[in-house]
Amino acid sequence: MTTAESRTFAVRHVQLARAAFAAIAALMITFSSDHSAAVGSAVFSGFAIATAFVLLLAAWLVYPAGRRWPSIALGVVTIVAGMATGLFPLRTVTGFFVTVIAWALVSGIIELVAGWRGLKARTERREIAPGVADARPVVPAGPRSESRDAIVVGAVSILLGIALLCVQPAYSLTYRLDEAGVTGTLTGITIGVGLFGGYAAIVAVYLGIAGFSPRPAASAADALATEEPASVEPADRKDSA
């Protein structure tokens, strides 16, 4: 059985990879003067597919059995959204809003639930019946920082979905800057693509900081979970005697 110490890749590598792809998406949107549905869908598609590959690979290269479901679920949802926005018939204003909103809400909920369960697992004692401890091997809990990061990213993703829901896709406002002699049109898709770019920038900075932050080698909760079956066994033998 592989342990966290024997793995070549760690959670920090997943976070840094996700941060890198999010940063690329943010830079592409920031420095592009074209915020149309085609450009926004293309950038989101590349970001989503690359992120999905990182998550799916991490399920086997980083996480142990019992802690793989969030990475797999996020990877599947993200790659489906990325492939959908990669289809030319769906590179429309409606297609962008529907796909990105659905992805943001679903992926945000998955990360929130995963982070919440990761924090809750440290305070719960596993029992198969009231007063009867579960002697089965305990799945090692991840670091608390990993659970907190999942909650934060999940909350930001849900906020992206809510913000996009508040944008009217058909919105259009023509403006003129007299001093500069510039006339332009602010549309709903421009706002939507800009919101996604802002989301990508926030995720890139947050996950980048999380990936470079120092972490303890092993948490006290993991050590307690590992030692608990051994401490229960002598008591059971004494009662049986």
Short mmCIF file of all heavy atoms in Angstrom, two decimals, residues 1-75:
data_model
loop_
_atom_site.label_atom_id
_atom_site.label_comp_id
_atom_site.label_asym_id
_atom_site.label_seq_id
_atom_site.Cartn_x
_atom_site.Cartn_y
_atom_site.Cartn_z
N MET A 1 0.86 -1.21 0.00
CA MET A 1 0.00 0.00 0.00
C MET A 1 0.88 1.23 0.00
O MET A 1 1.77 1.37 0.83
CB MET A 1 -0.91 0.00 1.23
CG MET A 1 -1.82 1.23 1.30
SD MET A 1 -2.91 1.14 2.74
CE MET A 1 -3.75 2.69 2.54
N THR A 2 0.63 2.16 -0.90
CA THR A 2 1.44 3.36 -0.97
C THR A 2 0.99 4.36 0.06
O THR A 2 -0.18 4.51 0.36
CB THR A 2 1.32 4.00 -2.37
OG1 THR A 2 -0.04 4.28 -2.61
CG2 THR A 2 1.87 3.08 -3.43
N THR A 3 1.93 5.06 0.64
CA THR A 3 1.66 6.08 1.63
C THR A 3 1.92 7.44 1.05
O THR A 3 2.46 7.58 -0.05
CB THR A 3 2.53 5.86 2.88
OG1 THR A 3 3.90 5.96 2.49
CG2 THR A 3 2.27 4.49 3.50
N ALA A 4 1.54 8.47 1.83
CA ALA A 4 1.74 9.83 1.34
C ALA A 4 3.21 10.13 1.15
O ALA A 4 3.60 10.87 0.26
CB ALA A 4 1.12 10.83 2.33
N GLU A 5 4.08 9.52 2.00
CA GLU A 5 5.49 9.78 1.90
C GLU A 5 6.12 9.15 0.67
O GLU A 5 7.16 9.59 0.19
CB GLU A 5 6.21 9.28 3.16
CG GLU A 5 5.89 10.08 4.42
CD GLU A 5 4.53 9.73 5.00
OE1 GLU A 5 3.89 8.79 4.46
OE2 GLU A 5 4.11 10.39 5.96
N SER A 6 5.53 8.03 0.19
CA SER A 6 6.12 7.31 -0.93
C SER A 6 5.64 7.82 -2.28
O SER A 6 6.11 7.37 -3.31
CB SER A 6 5.78 5.81 -0.80
OG SER A 6 4.38 5.60 -0.91
N ARG A 7 4.70 8.76 -2.28
CA ARG A 7 4.17 9.27 -3.54
C ARG A 7 5.07 10.36 -4.10
O ARG A 7 5.58 11.20 -3.38
CB ARG A 7 2.75 9.82 -3.33
CG ARG A 7 1.74 8.73 -2.94
CD ARG A 7 0.38 9.35 -2.68
NE ARG A 7 -0.56 8.33 -2.22
CZ ARG A 7 -1.31 7.59 -3.02
NH1 ARG A 7 -1.24 7.77 -4.32
NH2 ARG A 7 -2.11 6.68 -2.54
N THR A 8 5.25 10.31 -5.43
CA THR A 8 6.10 11.31 -6.08
C THR A 8 5.42 12.66 -6.11
O THR A 8 6.07 13.70 -5.94
CB THR A 8 6.44 10.86 -7.51
OG1 THR A 8 7.04 9.56 -7.46
CG2 THR A 8 7.38 11.84 -8.18
N PHE A 9 4.09 12.67 -6.32
CA PHE A 9 3.34 13.91 -6.41
C PHE A 9 2.51 14.09 -5.15
O PHE A 9 2.04 13.12 -4.55
CB PHE A 9 2.45 13.90 -7.65
CG PHE A 9 3.21 13.77 -8.93
CD1 PHE A 9 3.33 12.53 -9.56
CD2 PHE A 9 3.81 14.87 -9.51
CE1 PHE A 9 4.04 12.41 -10.74
CE2 PHE A 9 4.51 14.75 -10.69
CZ PHE A 9 4.64 13.52 -11.31
N ALA A 10 2.32 15.34 -4.76
CA ALA A 10 1.55 15.68 -3.56
C ALA A 10 0.43 16.65 -3.94
O ALA A 10 0.33 17.11 -5.08
CB ALA A 10 2.46 16.28 -2.50
N VAL A 11 -0.39 16.97 -2.95
CA VAL A 11 -1.50 17.88 -3.18
C VAL A 11 -1.00 19.24 -3.66
O VAL A 11 -1.64 19.90 -4.49
CB VAL A 11 -2.33 18.03 -1.89
CG1 VAL A 11 -3.42 19.08 -2.06
CG2 VAL A 11 -2.94 16.70 -1.49
N ARG A 12 0.14 19.68 -3.15
CA ARG A 12 0.67 20.98 -3.56
C ARG A 12 0.94 21.02 -5.07
O ARG A 12 0.78 22.08 -5.70
CB ARG A 12 1.95 21.32 -2.79
CG ARG A 12 3.15 20.45 -3.11
CD ARG A 12 4.41 20.99 -2.45
NE ARG A 12 4.34 20.97 -1.01
CZ ARG A 12 4.22 22.05 -0.27
NH1 ARG A 12 4.14 23.24 -0.85
NH2 ARG A 12 4.17 21.97 1.03
N HIS A 13 1.34 19.89 -5.66
CA HIS A 13 1.58 19.86 -7.10
C HIS A 13 0.28 20.02 -7.88
O HIS A 13 0.24 20.66 -8.94
CB HIS A 13 2.28 18.55 -7.49
CG HIS A 13 3.62 18.37 -6.83
ND1 HIS A 13 3.88 17.37 -5.93
CD2 HIS A 13 4.76 19.09 -6.94
CE1 HIS A 13 5.13 17.46 -5.52
NE2 HIS A 13 5.68 18.49 -6.10
N VAL A 14 -0.79 19.42 -7.36
CA VAL A 14 -2.10 19.58 -7.99
C VAL A 14 -2.55 21.03 -7.92
O VAL A 14 -3.04 21.61 -8.91
CB VAL A 14 -3.14 18.67 -7.31
CG1 VAL A 14 -4.52 18.84 -7.96
CG2 VAL A 14 -2.71 17.21 -7.39
N GLN A 15 -2.37 21.65 -6.77
CA GLN A 15 -2.77 23.04 -6.60
C GLN A 15 -1.96 23.97 -7.50
O GLN A 15 -2.51 24.90 -8.11
CB GLN A 15 -2.61 23.45 -5.14
CG GLN A 15 -3.58 22.75 -4.20
CD GLN A 15 -3.34 23.11 -2.76
OE1 GLN A 15 -2.21 23.36 -2.34
NE2 GLN A 15 -4.40 23.13 -1.97
N LEU A 16 -0.67 23.72 -7.61
CA LEU A 16 0.17 24.57 -8.46
C LEU A 16 -0.17 24.40 -9.93
O LEU A 16 -0.15 25.38 -10.70
CB LEU A 16 1.65 24.25 -8.21
CG LEU A 16 2.19 24.67 -6.83
CD1 LEU A 16 3.62 24.19 -6.66
CD2 LEU A 16 2.11 26.18 -6.67
N ALA A 17 -0.49 23.17 -10.34
CA ALA A 17 -0.88 22.95 -11.73
C ALA A 17 -2.20 23.65 -12.04
O ALA A 17 -2.36 24.29 -13.09
CB ALA A 17 -0.98 21.45 -12.01
N ARG A 18 -3.16 23.53 -11.13
CA ARG A 18 -4.44 24.22 -11.32
C ARG A 18 -4.24 25.73 -11.34
O ARG A 18 -4.88 26.44 -12.14
CB ARG A 18 -5.41 23.83 -10.21
CG ARG A 18 -5.89 22.39 -10.25
CD ARG A 18 -6.88 22.10 -9.14
NE ARG A 18 -8.10 22.90 -9.30
CZ ARG A 18 -9.12 22.86 -8.43
NH1 ARG A 18 -9.05 22.07 -7.36
NH2 ARG A 18 -10.18 23.60 -8.64
N ALA A 19 -3.36 26.22 -10.48
CA ALA A 19 -3.09 27.66 -10.44
C ALA A 19 -2.47 28.13 -11.75
O ALA A 19 -2.80 29.21 -12.26
CB ALA A 19 -2.16 27.99 -9.27
N ALA A 20 -1.58 27.32 -12.32
CA ALA A 20 -0.91 27.71 -13.57
C ALA A 20 -1.92 27.82 -14.72
O ALA A 20 -1.91 28.80 -15.48
CB ALA A 20 0.17 26.69 -13.91
N PHE A 21 -2.80 26.83 -14.84
CA PHE A 21 -3.79 26.87 -15.93
C PHE A 21 -4.80 28.01 -15.71
O PHE A 21 -5.25 28.64 -16.68
CB PHE A 21 -4.51 25.53 -16.04
CG PHE A 21 -3.63 24.43 -16.55
CD1 PHE A 21 -3.49 23.24 -15.84
CD2 PHE A 21 -2.91 24.57 -17.73
CE1 PHE A 21 -2.67 22.22 -16.30
CE2 PHE A 21 -2.08 23.56 -18.19
CZ PHE A 21 -1.96 22.38 -17.48
N ALA A 22 -5.16 28.27 -14.46
CA ALA A 22 -6.07 29.38 -14.18
C ALA A 22 -5.40 30.71 -14.51
O ALA A 22 -6.04 31.63 -15.04
CB ALA A 22 -6.50 29.35 -12.72
N ALA A 23 -4.10 30.83 -14.20
CA ALA A 23 -3.37 32.06 -14.50
C ALA A 23 -3.29 32.29 -16.01
O ALA A 23 -3.43 33.43 -16.49
CB ALA A 23 -1.97 32.00 -13.90
N ILE A 24 -3.06 31.22 -16.77
CA ILE A 24 -3.01 31.36 -18.23
C ILE A 24 -4.34 31.84 -18.78
O ILE A 24 -4.41 32.74 -19.62
CB ILE A 24 -2.62 30.01 -18.87
CG1 ILE A 24 -1.17 29.65 -18.50
CG2 ILE A 24 -2.78 30.06 -20.38
CD1 ILE A 24 -0.76 28.26 -18.95
N ALA A 25 -5.44 31.27 -18.26
CA ALA A 25 -6.77 31.70 -18.70
C ALA A 25 -7.02 33.16 -18.35
O ALA A 25 -7.55 33.93 -19.16
CB ALA A 25 -7.85 30.81 -18.07
N ALA A 26 -6.63 33.57 -17.14
CA ALA A 26 -6.83 34.95 -16.72
C ALA A 26 -6.03 35.92 -17.58
O ALA A 26 -6.53 36.98 -17.97
CB ALA A 26 -6.44 35.11 -15.25
N LEU A 27 -4.79 35.56 -17.90
CA LEU A 27 -3.95 36.44 -18.73
C LEU A 27 -4.49 36.55 -20.15
O LEU A 27 -4.47 37.63 -20.75
CB LEU A 27 -2.52 35.91 -18.75
CG LEU A 27 -1.73 36.05 -17.43
CD1 LEU A 27 -0.39 35.33 -17.53
CD2 LEU A 27 -1.53 37.53 -17.10
N MET A 28 -4.98 35.42 -20.69
CA MET A 28 -5.52 35.44 -22.05
C MET A 28 -6.74 36.35 -22.15
O MET A 28 -6.91 37.09 -23.13
CB MET A 28 -5.87 34.02 -22.50
CG MET A 28 -4.66 33.12 -22.69
SD MET A 28 -5.12 31.44 -23.20
CE MET A 28 -5.76 31.76 -24.85
N ILE A 29 -7.58 36.32 -21.14
CA ILE A 29 -8.76 37.17 -21.16
C ILE A 29 -8.40 38.62 -20.88
O ILE A 29 -8.92 39.55 -21.52
CB ILE A 29 -9.79 36.66 -20.13
CG1 ILE A 29 -10.36 35.32 -20.59
CG2 ILE A 29 -10.92 37.67 -19.94
CD1 ILE A 29 -11.31 34.67 -19.62
N THR A 30 -7.47 38.83 -19.95
CA THR A 30 -7.09 40.20 -19.58
C THR A 30 -6.47 40.95 -20.75
O THR A 30 -6.78 42.13 -20.99
CB THR A 30 -6.12 40.18 -18.40
OG1 THR A 30 -6.75 39.54 -17.28
CG2 THR A 30 -5.72 41.59 -18.00
N PHE A 31 -5.59 40.29 -21.47
CA PHE A 31 -4.85 40.97 -22.54
C PHE A 31 -5.49 40.78 -23.91
O PHE A 31 -4.86 41.05 -24.93
CB PHE A 31 -3.40 40.48 -22.57
CG PHE A 31 -2.63 40.90 -21.36
CD1 PHE A 31 -2.38 40.01 -20.33
CD2 PHE A 31 -2.15 42.20 -21.24
CE1 PHE A 31 -1.67 40.41 -19.21
CE2 PHE A 31 -1.44 42.60 -20.12
CZ PHE A 31 -1.20 41.71 -19.09
N SER A 32 -6.73 40.31 -23.94
CA SER A 32 -7.45 40.19 -25.20
C SER A 32 -8.51 41.28 -25.27
O SER A 32 -9.29 41.48 -24.32
CB SER A 32 -8.11 38.81 -25.32
OG SER A 32 -8.93 38.75 -26.47
N SER A 33 -8.54 41.99 -26.39
CA SER A 33 -9.56 43.02 -26.56
C SER A 33 -10.90 42.44 -27.03
O SER A 33 -11.91 43.14 -27.04
CB SER A 33 -9.07 44.06 -27.60
OG SER A 33 -8.79 43.42 -28.84
N ASP A 34 -10.88 41.18 -27.39
CA ASP A 34 -12.08 40.51 -27.88
C ASP A 34 -12.65 39.63 -26.76
O ASP A 34 -12.05 38.61 -26.40
CB ASP A 34 -11.75 39.66 -29.11
CG ASP A 34 -13.00 39.03 -29.72
OD1 ASP A 34 -14.11 39.26 -29.20
OD2 ASP A 34 -12.87 38.29 -30.73
N HIS A 35 -13.77 40.03 -26.19
CA HIS A 35 -14.43 39.26 -25.14
C HIS A 35 -15.73 38.65 -25.68
O HIS A 35 -16.74 38.62 -24.97
CB HIS A 35 -14.70 40.13 -23.92
CG HIS A 35 -13.50 40.39 -23.09
ND1 HIS A 35 -13.54 41.09 -21.90
CD2 HIS A 35 -12.20 40.05 -23.27
CE1 HIS A 35 -12.33 41.16 -21.38
NE2 HIS A 35 -11.50 40.55 -22.21
N SER A 36 -15.67 38.17 -26.89
CA SER A 36 -16.85 37.58 -27.51
C SER A 36 -17.09 36.18 -26.96
O SER A 36 -16.27 35.61 -26.23
CB SER A 36 -16.66 37.51 -29.03
OG SER A 36 -15.57 36.66 -29.35
N ALA A 37 -18.24 35.61 -27.35
CA ALA A 37 -18.58 34.26 -26.89
C ALA A 37 -17.59 33.23 -27.42
O ALA A 37 -17.24 32.28 -26.73
CB ALA A 37 -20.00 33.92 -27.32
N ALA A 38 -17.13 33.42 -28.66
CA ALA A 38 -16.19 32.46 -29.25
C ALA A 38 -14.87 32.44 -28.49
O ALA A 38 -14.33 31.38 -28.18
CB ALA A 38 -15.96 32.80 -30.72
N VAL A 39 -14.35 33.63 -28.18
CA VAL A 39 -13.09 33.71 -27.46
C VAL A 39 -13.24 33.20 -26.03
O VAL A 39 -12.42 32.43 -25.52
CB VAL A 39 -12.54 35.15 -27.47
CG1 VAL A 39 -11.31 35.28 -26.57
CG2 VAL A 39 -12.19 35.58 -28.89
N GLY A 40 -14.30 33.64 -25.35
CA GLY A 40 -14.53 33.20 -23.98
C GLY A 40 -14.71 31.69 -23.89
O GLY A 40 -14.17 31.04 -22.99
N SER A 41 -15.45 31.12 -24.83
CA SER A 41 -15.65 29.67 -24.83
C SER A 41 -14.36 28.92 -25.11
O SER A 41 -14.09 27.88 -24.51
CB SER A 41 -16.71 29.29 -25.86
OG SER A 41 -17.96 29.87 -25.56
N ALA A 42 -13.55 29.46 -26.02
CA ALA A 42 -12.29 28.80 -26.34
C ALA A 42 -11.33 28.81 -25.15
O ALA A 42 -10.69 27.80 -24.84
CB ALA A 42 -11.63 29.49 -27.54
N VAL A 43 -11.26 29.95 -24.47
CA VAL A 43 -10.37 30.04 -23.29
C VAL A 43 -10.88 29.13 -22.19
O VAL A 43 -10.09 28.39 -21.56
CB VAL A 43 -10.28 31.49 -22.80
CG1 VAL A 43 -9.49 31.56 -21.49
CG2 VAL A 43 -9.62 32.38 -23.85
N PHE A 44 -12.18 29.14 -21.93
CA PHE A 44 -12.72 28.27 -20.89
C PHE A 44 -12.52 26.81 -21.23
O PHE A 44 -12.23 25.99 -20.35
CB PHE A 44 -14.21 28.56 -20.69
CG PHE A 44 -14.87 27.62 -19.72
CD1 PHE A 44 -14.72 27.79 -18.36
CD2 PHE A 44 -15.63 26.55 -20.18
CE1 PHE A 44 -15.32 26.91 -17.46
CE2 PHE A 44 -16.22 25.67 -19.30
CZ PHE A 44 -16.08 25.85 -17.94
N SER A 45 -12.69 26.45 -22.51
CA SER A 45 -12.52 25.07 -22.92
C SER A 45 -11.10 24.58 -22.65
O SER A 45 -10.90 23.50 -22.08
CB SER A 45 -12.84 24.92 -24.41
OG SER A 45 -12.65 23.59 -24.85
N GLY A 46 -10.11 25.38 -23.03
CA GLY A 46 -8.73 24.99 -22.77
C GLY A 46 -8.43 24.89 -21.29
O GLY A 46 -7.79 23.94 -20.82
N PHE A 47 -8.91 25.87 -20.51
CA PHE A 47 -8.72 25.85 -19.06
C PHE A 47 -9.36 24.62 -18.43
O PHE A 47 -8.76 23.94 -17.60
CB PHE A 47 -9.31 27.13 -18.46
CG PHE A 47 -9.67 27.03 -17.02
CD1 PHE A 47 -8.69 27.13 -16.03
CD2 PHE A 47 -10.99 26.85 -16.62
CE1 PHE A 47 -9.03 27.04 -14.68
CE2 PHE A 47 -11.33 26.75 -15.29
CZ PHE A 47 -10.36 26.85 -14.31
N ALA A 48 -10.60 24.33 -18.83
CA ALA A 48 -11.34 23.23 -18.22
C ALA A 48 -10.73 21.87 -18.56
O ALA A 48 -10.57 21.01 -17.69
CB ALA A 48 -12.80 23.28 -18.66
N ILE A 49 -10.38 21.65 -19.81
CA ILE A 49 -9.82 20.36 -20.21
C ILE A 49 -8.47 20.12 -19.55
O ILE A 49 -8.17 19.02 -19.05
CB ILE A 49 -9.70 20.28 -21.74
CG1 ILE A 49 -11.10 20.25 -22.38
CG2 ILE A 49 -8.91 19.05 -22.17
CD1 ILE A 49 -11.10 20.28 -23.89
N ALA A 50 -7.61 21.15 -19.51
CA ALA A 50 -6.30 20.99 -18.86
C ALA A 50 -6.47 20.73 -17.37
O ALA A 50 -5.79 19.85 -16.80
CB ALA A 50 -5.46 22.24 -19.09
N THR A 51 -7.37 21.46 -16.72
CA THR A 51 -7.61 21.25 -15.29
C THR A 51 -8.18 19.87 -15.03
O THR A 51 -7.83 19.21 -14.04
CB THR A 51 -8.57 22.33 -14.76
OG1 THR A 51 -8.01 23.63 -14.99
CG2 THR A 51 -8.81 22.15 -13.27
N ALA A 52 -9.06 19.40 -15.90
CA ALA A 52 -9.67 18.08 -15.73
C ALA A 52 -8.62 16.98 -15.80
O ALA A 52 -8.66 16.03 -15.01
CB ALA A 52 -10.74 17.86 -16.80
N PHE A 53 -7.67 17.09 -16.71
CA PHE A 53 -6.61 16.08 -16.80
C PHE A 53 -5.78 16.06 -15.52
O PHE A 53 -5.40 14.99 -15.04
CB PHE A 53 -5.72 16.35 -18.01
CG PHE A 53 -6.28 15.83 -19.30
CD1 PHE A 53 -6.51 16.66 -20.38
CD2 PHE A 53 -6.58 14.48 -19.44
CE1 PHE A 53 -7.03 16.17 -21.57
CE2 PHE A 53 -7.11 13.97 -20.62
CZ PHE A 53 -7.34 14.83 -21.69
N VAL A 54 -5.51 17.22 -14.97
CA VAL A 54 -4.75 17.28 -13.71
C VAL A 54 -5.52 16.59 -12.60
O VAL A 54 -4.96 15.80 -11.82
CB VAL A 54 -4.47 18.75 -13.33
CG1 VAL A 54 -3.88 18.85 -11.92
CG2 VAL A 54 -3.51 19.38 -14.32
N LEU A 55 -6.82 16.86 -12.50
CA LEU A 55 -7.64 16.26 -11.44
C LEU A 55 -7.77 14.75 -11.59
O LEU A 55 -7.70 14.01 -10.61
CB LEU A 55 -9.03 16.92 -11.45
CG LEU A 55 -9.07 18.39 -11.04
CD1 LEU A 55 -10.44 18.99 -11.33
CD2 LEU A 55 -8.74 18.55 -9.57
N LEU A 56 -7.97 14.29 -12.82
CA LEU A 56 -8.13 12.85 -13.04
C LEU A 56 -6.83 12.10 -12.79
O LEU A 56 -6.83 11.00 -12.22
CB LEU A 56 -8.64 12.59 -14.46
CG LEU A 56 -10.07 13.09 -14.74
CD1 LEU A 56 -10.43 12.91 -16.21
CD2 LEU A 56 -11.07 12.36 -13.86
N LEU A 57 -5.71 12.67 -13.20
CA LEU A 57 -4.42 12.04 -12.91
C LEU A 57 -4.13 12.05 -11.42
O LEU A 57 -3.57 11.09 -10.87
CB LEU A 57 -3.30 12.75 -13.68
CG LEU A 57 -3.25 12.52 -15.18
CD1 LEU A 57 -2.17 13.39 -15.82
CD2 LEU A 57 -2.99 11.05 -15.50
N ALA A 58 -4.52 13.12 -10.75
CA ALA A 58 -4.27 13.22 -9.31
C ALA A 58 -5.03 12.17 -8.52
O ALA A 58 -4.59 11.75 -7.44
CB ALA A 58 -4.66 14.61 -8.81
N ALA A 59 -6.17 11.71 -9.06
CA ALA A 59 -6.95 10.70 -8.35
C ALA A 59 -6.15 9.43 -8.12
O ALA A 59 -6.34 8.74 -7.11
CB ALA A 59 -8.22 10.39 -9.14
N TRP A 60 -5.22 9.12 -9.03
CA TRP A 60 -4.41 7.91 -8.88
C TRP A 60 -2.98 8.19 -8.44
O TRP A 60 -2.36 7.37 -7.79
CB TRP A 60 -4.41 7.13 -10.20
CG TRP A 60 -5.65 6.33 -10.39
CD1 TRP A 60 -5.88 5.04 -10.02
CD2 TRP A 60 -6.88 6.78 -11.00
NE1 TRP A 60 -7.15 4.67 -10.35
CE2 TRP A 60 -7.79 5.70 -10.96
CE3 TRP A 60 -7.29 7.99 -11.56
CZ2 TRP A 60 -9.09 5.79 -11.45
CZ3 TRP A 60 -8.58 8.09 -12.06
CH2 TRP A 60 -9.46 7.01 -12.00
N LEU A 61 -2.46 9.36 -8.78
CA LEU A 61 -1.06 9.65 -8.45
C LEU A 61 -0.89 10.34 -7.11
O LEU A 61 0.21 10.33 -6.55
CB LEU A 61 -0.45 10.54 -9.55
CG LEU A 61 -0.38 9.94 -10.96
CD1 LEU A 61 0.21 10.95 -11.93
CD2 LEU A 61 0.44 8.66 -10.96
N VAL A 62 -1.93 10.96 -6.58
CA VAL A 62 -1.80 11.76 -5.36
C VAL A 62 -2.64 11.22 -4.22
O VAL A 62 -2.14 11.02 -3.11
CB VAL A 62 -2.17 13.23 -5.64
CG1 VAL A 62 -2.13 14.05 -4.36
CG2 VAL A 62 -1.24 13.83 -6.68
N TYR A 63 -3.92 10.97 -4.48
CA TYR A 63 -4.83 10.64 -3.38
C TYR A 63 -4.91 9.13 -3.15
O TYR A 63 -4.93 8.35 -4.10
CB TYR A 63 -6.23 11.17 -3.69
CG TYR A 63 -6.27 12.67 -3.82
CD1 TYR A 63 -6.36 13.28 -5.08
CD2 TYR A 63 -6.21 13.48 -2.70
CE1 TYR A 63 -6.39 14.66 -5.20
CE2 TYR A 63 -6.23 14.87 -2.81
CZ TYR A 63 -6.33 15.44 -4.07
OH TYR A 63 -6.35 16.81 -4.19
N PRO A 64 -4.99 8.71 -1.89
CA PRO A 64 -5.14 7.28 -1.57
C PRO A 64 -6.57 6.82 -1.78
O PRO A 64 -7.48 7.64 -1.94
CB PRO A 64 -4.74 7.21 -0.09
CG PRO A 64 -5.13 8.55 0.45
CD PRO A 64 -4.88 9.54 -0.66
N ALA A 65 -6.77 5.53 -1.78
CA ALA A 65 -8.12 4.97 -1.92
C ALA A 65 -8.98 5.47 -0.77
O ALA A 65 -8.57 5.48 0.39
CB ALA A 65 -8.06 3.45 -1.91
N GLY A 66 -10.20 5.88 -1.10
CA GLY A 66 -11.09 6.43 -0.10
C GLY A 66 -11.17 7.94 -0.14
O GLY A 66 -12.10 8.54 0.39
N ARG A 67 -10.19 8.58 -0.79
CA ARG A 67 -10.19 10.04 -0.90
C ARG A 67 -10.12 10.49 -2.36
O ARG A 67 -9.79 11.64 -2.65
CB ARG A 67 -8.99 10.63 -0.13
CG ARG A 67 -9.14 10.59 1.38
CD ARG A 67 -7.90 11.12 2.05
NE ARG A 67 -7.53 12.42 1.48
CZ ARG A 67 -6.28 12.87 1.47
NH1 ARG A 67 -5.28 12.14 1.94
NH2 ARG A 67 -6.01 14.06 0.95
N ARG A 68 -10.45 9.60 -3.26
CA ARG A 68 -10.33 9.92 -4.68
C ARG A 68 -11.60 10.48 -5.30
O ARG A 68 -11.55 11.07 -6.38
CB ARG A 68 -9.91 8.65 -5.45
CG ARG A 68 -8.51 8.18 -5.12
CD ARG A 68 -8.22 6.84 -5.75
NE ARG A 68 -6.84 6.42 -5.50
CZ ARG A 68 -6.37 5.20 -5.71
NH1 ARG A 68 -7.19 4.26 -6.18
NH2 ARG A 68 -5.12 4.91 -5.46
N TRP A 69 -12.73 10.28 -4.65
CA TRP A 69 -14.00 10.65 -5.29
C TRP A 69 -14.11 12.13 -5.62
O TRP A 69 -14.63 12.47 -6.69
CB TRP A 69 -15.18 10.19 -4.43
CG TRP A 69 -15.40 10.98 -3.18
CD1 TRP A 69 -14.94 10.70 -1.94
CD2 TRP A 69 -16.15 12.19 -3.05
NE1 TRP A 69 -15.34 11.66 -1.04
CE2 TRP A 69 -16.09 12.59 -1.69
CE3 TRP A 69 -16.87 12.98 -3.95
CZ2 TRP A 69 -16.71 13.74 -1.22
CZ3 TRP A 69 -17.49 14.14 -3.48
CH2 TRP A 69 -17.41 14.50 -2.13
N PRO A 70 -13.62 13.07 -4.77
CA PRO A 70 -13.76 14.49 -5.18
C PRO A 70 -12.98 14.81 -6.43
O PRO A 70 -13.47 15.54 -7.32
CB PRO A 70 -13.23 15.26 -3.96
CG PRO A 70 -13.29 14.30 -2.82
CD PRO A 70 -13.03 12.97 -3.43
N SER A 71 -11.75 14.28 -6.53
CA SER A 71 -10.92 14.56 -7.70
C SER A 71 -11.53 13.97 -8.97
O SER A 71 -11.53 14.61 -10.02
CB SER A 71 -9.51 14.01 -7.47
OG SER A 71 -8.64 14.39 -8.50
N ILE A 72 -12.08 12.76 -8.85
CA ILE A 72 -12.69 12.12 -10.02
C ILE A 72 -13.96 12.87 -10.43
O ILE A 72 -14.19 13.15 -11.61
CB ILE A 72 -13.01 10.64 -9.72
CG1 ILE A 72 -11.71 9.85 -9.52
CG2 ILE A 72 -13.83 10.02 -10.85
CD1 ILE A 72 -11.93 8.41 -9.12
N ALA A 73 -14.80 13.20 -9.45
CA ALA A 73 -16.04 13.91 -9.76
C ALA A 73 -15.76 15.27 -10.38
O ALA A 73 -16.38 15.65 -11.39
CB ALA A 73 -16.88 14.08 -8.48
N LEU A 74 -14.81 16.01 -9.81
CA LEU A 74 -14.46 17.32 -10.38
C LEU A 74 -13.88 17.17 -11.78
O LEU A 74 -14.18 17.96 -12.68
CB LEU A 74 -13.44 18.02 -9.47
CG LEU A 74 -13.99 18.73 -8.23
CD1 LEU A 74 -12.84 19.22 -7.36
CD2 LEU A 74 -14.88 19.88 -8.63
N GLY A 75 -13.04 16.15 -11.97
CA GLY A 75 -12.44 15.94 -13.28
C GLY A 75 -13.47 15.62 -14.34
O GLY A 75 -13.41 16.15 -15.45
#
